[in-house]
Amino acid sequence: MLKLPLAVWIANAAARLAGSYGDVTRQAKAADCSRQTIYDHTQKVQAAVAAEHAGGPTHAELIQENERLRHENARLWDWLAQTIEFPPGKRHEFTVTAAAMGLSLNQVLVLLAILMGTQARPGRSTVQRWVKAAGQKATCVLKGLDRRCRPLILVGCLDEIFFHGRPVLVGVEPASMTWFLGHKADDRTGVTWCRHVQGWTALQYVLADAGTGLQAGIALVQRQRCEGQQTPLENGLDVFHTVREGQRALSQTWNQVEALWEGAEAAARRVERAWHRTGDTRGVATAAAAAWKEVEAAFARYEAAEAGWARAKAALRVFRPDGRLNDRPLAQQQIAAALPHLSGRHWSKVRGFLQSEPTLTFLDRLHRQLQQAEPDAELREALVRLWWLRRQRPRGAQGGEIAGAGHVAHLVQQVACQRMDAQWAASYRRVSGVLRQTVRASSAVECMNSVLRMHQARHRTVTQGLLDLKRLHWNCRAFREGKRRGRCPYEHLGLKLPSYHFWSVLQMPVDEAA
C-alpha cells in the first residue's frame, strides 16, 4: 500500500534528477518525507520508465500470464490426484506378471494403453523382449527351486496336454498343488516320461491315467529303482478317468434303449395306420411286438448295467456305505460281481480299468500308512470310525433345532476312543492326516490342465521359457479360497523362501534359489 501518491513520487524524482542545488531539501519538506525517500523514489521511477520502454511484456500482460499459469497449475494438481505411480520398474513387473497369468501380448498392450495412453505405453517389441527375458530368468530360478523341492515331492499326479500338436508333460503334487513338472517335449513316449520323472527321487506314489506312453515311463522308472535298490515307486491308476469312462458307457447303454424305444413307437404307429387303412395288422403287429420285446430286453440290460456300475463304483471309494474302510479283497469281490453286468464293447475299456491292479493301489497304500500311524488295530478302527462320523454330521437343521443321532454319534464315538487310550488325540491327528491326504484320482493335474487350456487359447505358441514363467507364478500365487486360501503352493509344500512374492522370487539370484 502506497503512503505517498504517485504524483509525489514523480515530483521527488524530478527534484532529484532535474532540480538545482537545494531542491531536494525543499521537496522533502514540501512532501513531508526524508531525503532518502526521495532517492528511493527516484530509483523506482527510473526503473519503471525503463521497463516500460524496454520492449518486454507490460504489467497487464504479466498479470494475465500469471493468472493463466495459476489455472494450469490447479488443473495439473487435479490430474495428479487421479493418476497412479507407474514408473518403468512397475511397468516391467506389470507386463511380466500379466503374461505369467495367461494374458497374450495384445491383451497386455491394451491394458498398458489404458493405464498410460497409447503414445506413452511401450511398444510390442519391448513387451515381447521383457517377457522373453523373464521366461529365461524363470528357467534358471526354477532349476534351483526344483532341486530344493525334490525331497518334498512324495506324491505326484501326472498327465500331458497338447499345445498345437506338441505335448507338455505335467506333474502336480496334490496336497499343496505345487506344479513340479512342466516340460514341452517332442513326444510322450515312455522313454521321454522316464527321463523327466526319474529326477524326482523322493517320489513314492504316482497317479496317472492309462495312457500307453505314461504307463510305460512309470514302468521304466520302477524298473530302474528296483535294479538300483532304491525306494520303490507305487503306481496308481486314476479313478477319475475310470468313473468318467463308466458314466460314458452307461450313457451309451441308455442311448441304445432310447433308439430301440423310438423304433418300437414307430412300429406301433405303423400298426395303427394299417388298422385304419385295411384292418389287417398281422405282419406289422408281429414286428411291433418283437420291437417292444427288444426294448424290454435292452431296458433290463440297462438296469443291470446301472446296478453293476453302481456296485463297481462303490468299490473304488475309500469307505463302504456302512462307514468301514474299504480294502482290496472286498473291492475286488465287488468288482468281480459287477463285471458280468457290464457287457458290450462300449464297456470294454471300463472292464480293463477295473481289473487293472494299479486301480486299487490307493487302498493298499492307505492301510499301510494307517498301520504306521496307529499300530493298535482296535484303536485305529475306532479312530477311523470317528473321522467318518464327524463328516456325516448334518450341516444344518431347520428352525435351529438339533435332532437325530447324526448330531451326537461322533461324540459317543469320541468317548469310546478316550476310554481306549488317554493319548487318543495325538493318534487321531496322525490317522486324520493319512485319511485327508489319501489320493485316488489325479484331479489335481486335471485342474492344472484346465488352467493351461486357458493359456492355450490365448497364446499362438508357448515356449519353454513362457511355460516356466507360468509355473513359477502358479507356485508363488496365494490361493484365494478353499482349504489352502491365504498361502501359495510353495508354502503348503514346506519350501522355505525369504519371500513368496512372484516378482521377488523371479529377481532372486540363481545361487540363492539353489
Side-chain angles (χ1 to χ4, degrees):
M1 181 178 178
L2 296 177
K3 295 182 178 179
L4 297 175
L6 288 176
V8 175
W9 283 44
I10 296 173
N12 290 344
R16 168 67 181 83
L17 295 175
S20 58
Y21 182 81
D23 287 346
V24 172
T25 302
R26 287 189 291 272
Q27 179 61 25
K29 291 181 179 178
D32 194 16
C33 64
S34 65
R35 290 168 56 88
Q36 184 60 43
T37 300
I38 291 178
Y39 296 146
D40 292 340
H41 287 174
T42 302
Q43 292 178 356
K44 293 178 180 180
V45 169
Q46 282 183 313
V49 173
E52 183 68 21
H53 295 279
T58 63
H59 182 68
E61 292 173 344
L62 290 175
I63 292 177
Q64 185 178 3
E65 178 69 13
N66 185 40
E67 188 66 21
R68 186 186 66 80
L69 293 175
R70 188 187 302 275
H71 286 296
E72 182 179 355
N73 190 35
R75 286 197 305 271
L76 290 174
W77 278 107
D78 292 338
W79 290 342
L80 181 62
Q82 301 175 13
T83 57
I84 60 174
E85 186 179 3
F86 206 46
K90 281 294 181 182
R91 300 173 203 166
H92 193 177
E93 180 181 355
F94 176 87
T95 301
V96 172
T97 304
M101 293 174 66
L103 272 68
S104 64
L105 291 182
N106 290 334
Q107 291 171 324
V108 174
L109 289 171
V110 169
L111 294 178
L112 287 172
I114 293 174
L115 292 173
M116 304 175 58
T118 306
Q119 299 298 326
R121 69 164 174 78
R124 182 184 178 85
S125 59
T126 302
V127 170
Q128 189 171 12
R129 188 167 59 250
W130 287 350
V131 174
K132 182 178 180 181
Q136 295 172 348
K137 181 63 185 299
T139 301
C140 297
V141 171
L142 278 174
K143 288 181 180 178
L145 294 178
D146 287 346
R147 281 195 293 270
R148 296 175 60 181
C149 287
R150 284 194 180 101
L152 306 174
I153 302 294
L154 307 180
V155 180
C157 298
L158 308 178
D159 200 2
E160 66 265 339
I161 186 173
F162 287 87
F163 276 81
H164 302 285
R166 288 279 301 279
V168 174
L169 312 184
V170 181
V172 179
E173 199 282 325
S176 63
M177 288 298 293
T178 299
W179 182 7
F180 68 88
L181 175 61
H183 182 79
K184 189 176 182 181
D186 294 327
D187 55 63
R188 49 174 177 157
T189 61
V191 175
T192 302
W193 268 109
C194 177
R195 186 169 61 251
H196 291 93
V197 173
Q198 64 184 359
W200 298 92
T201 54
L203 264 178
Q204 300 174 0
Y205 177 49
V206 292
L207 268 167
D209 58 26
T212 305
L214 181 49
Q215 289 298 322
I218 295 173
L220 284 174
V221 176
Q222 289 176 320
R223 191 178 308 119
Q224 289 179 358
R225 290 195 179 187
C226 182
E227 294 173 354
Q229 296 182 348
Q230 301 173 351
T231 304
L233 178 64
E234 293 183 287
N235 178 25
L237 190 61
D238 177 30
V239 174
F240 169 79
H241 287 86
T242 302
V243 173
R244 187 178 64 176
E245 289 296 332
Q247 294 298 133
R248 183 181 301 169
L250 191 63
S251 297
Q252 291 177 357
T253 305
W254 177 251
N255 290 339
Q256 293 177 356
V257 176
E258 286 186 333
L260 291 173
W261 192 299
E262 291 174 357
E265 287 181 337
R269 288 193 294 270
R270 286 194 295 271
V271 171
E272 186 177 356
R273 285 197 299 270
W275 172 258
H276 286 296
R277 289 177 181 176
T278 64
D280 185 6
T281 61
R282 286 173 295 182
V284 290
T286 302
W292 282 113
K293 285 183 180 179
E294 289 183 8
V295 171
E296 292 176 1
F299 194 80
R301 288 195 299 271
Y302 172 78
E303 287 185 322
E306 185 179 31
W309 172 238
R311 193 168 187 177
K313 192 162 59 172
L316 303 177
R317 296 194 178 100
V318 175
F319 285 93
R320 307 175 193 175
D322 59 359
R324 296 164 58 191
L325 269 180
N326 200 359
D327 55 26
R328 181 181 282 272
L330 180 63
Q332 289 177 334
Q333 181 182 350
Q334 296 292 323
I335 290 173
L339 286 177
H341 303 290
L342 307 180
S343 59
R345 191 171 63 179
H346 51 282
W347 284 101
S348 60
K349 183 181 289 189
V350 179
R351 290 196 301 270
F353 289 166
L354 293 174
Q355 293 175 300
S356 177
E357 183 179 355
T359 297
L360 302 178
T361 301
F362 74 95
L363 291 176
D364 301 333
R365 179 177 172 83
L366 170 62
H367 283 276
R368 187 174 62 252
Q369 290 181 328
L370 285 175
Q371 189 173 4
Q372 294 172 355
E374 178 49 56
D376 187 345
E378 185 179 1
L379 178 59
R380 180 172 66 248
E381 184 178 356
L383 294 174
V384 170
R385 178 73 177 176
L386 174 60
W387 190 88
W388 181 79
L389 286 173
R390 283 184 169 178
R391 278 147 187 81
Q392 304 306 310
R393 288 177 293 176
R395 295 301 180 185
Q398 295 182 355
E401 297 180 358
I402 298 178
H407 292 280
V408 297
H410 68 285
L411 299 176
V412 176
Q413 185 67 20
Q414 181 174 326
V415 172
C417 294
Q418 291 173 348
R419 291 181 178 179
M420 289 183 183
D421 189 350
Q423 304 298 325
W424 71 276
S427 299
Y428 178 77
R429 283 193 293 271
R430 295 193 299 269
V431 169
S432 176
V434 172
L435 291 170
R436 281 188 289 104
Q437 296 182 8
T438 298
V439 183
R440 62 192 183 100
S442 60
S443 304
V445 74
E446 294 297 336
C447 171
M448 186 58 59
N449 285 347
S450 299
V451 175
L452 289 175
R453 287 188 187 95
M454 176 187 66
H455 295 188
Q456 183 185 39
R458 294 174 180 169
H459 295 279
R460 182 175 301 173
T461 58
V462 176
T463 63
Q464 184 61 50
L466 184 57
L467 197 63
D468 289 336
L469 187 66
K470 295 177 186 298
R471 181 156 75 94
L472 183 62
H473 177 268
W474 172 269
N475 289 336
C476 296
R477 169 186 171 273
F479 294 99
R480 290 179 294 181
E481 55 187 4
K483 62 182 181 181
R484 301 181 184 90
R485 65 180 176 273
R487 302 173 68 191
C488 69
Y490 275 154
E491 289 181 273
H492 285 288
L493 185 64
L495 181 65
K496 303 299 181 182
L497 294 175
S499 172
Y500 295 98
H501 186 260
F502 164 68
W503 187 249
S504 301
V505 175
L506 184 62
Q507 303 304 316
M508 184 185 301
V510 177
D511 54 350
E512 185 177 345

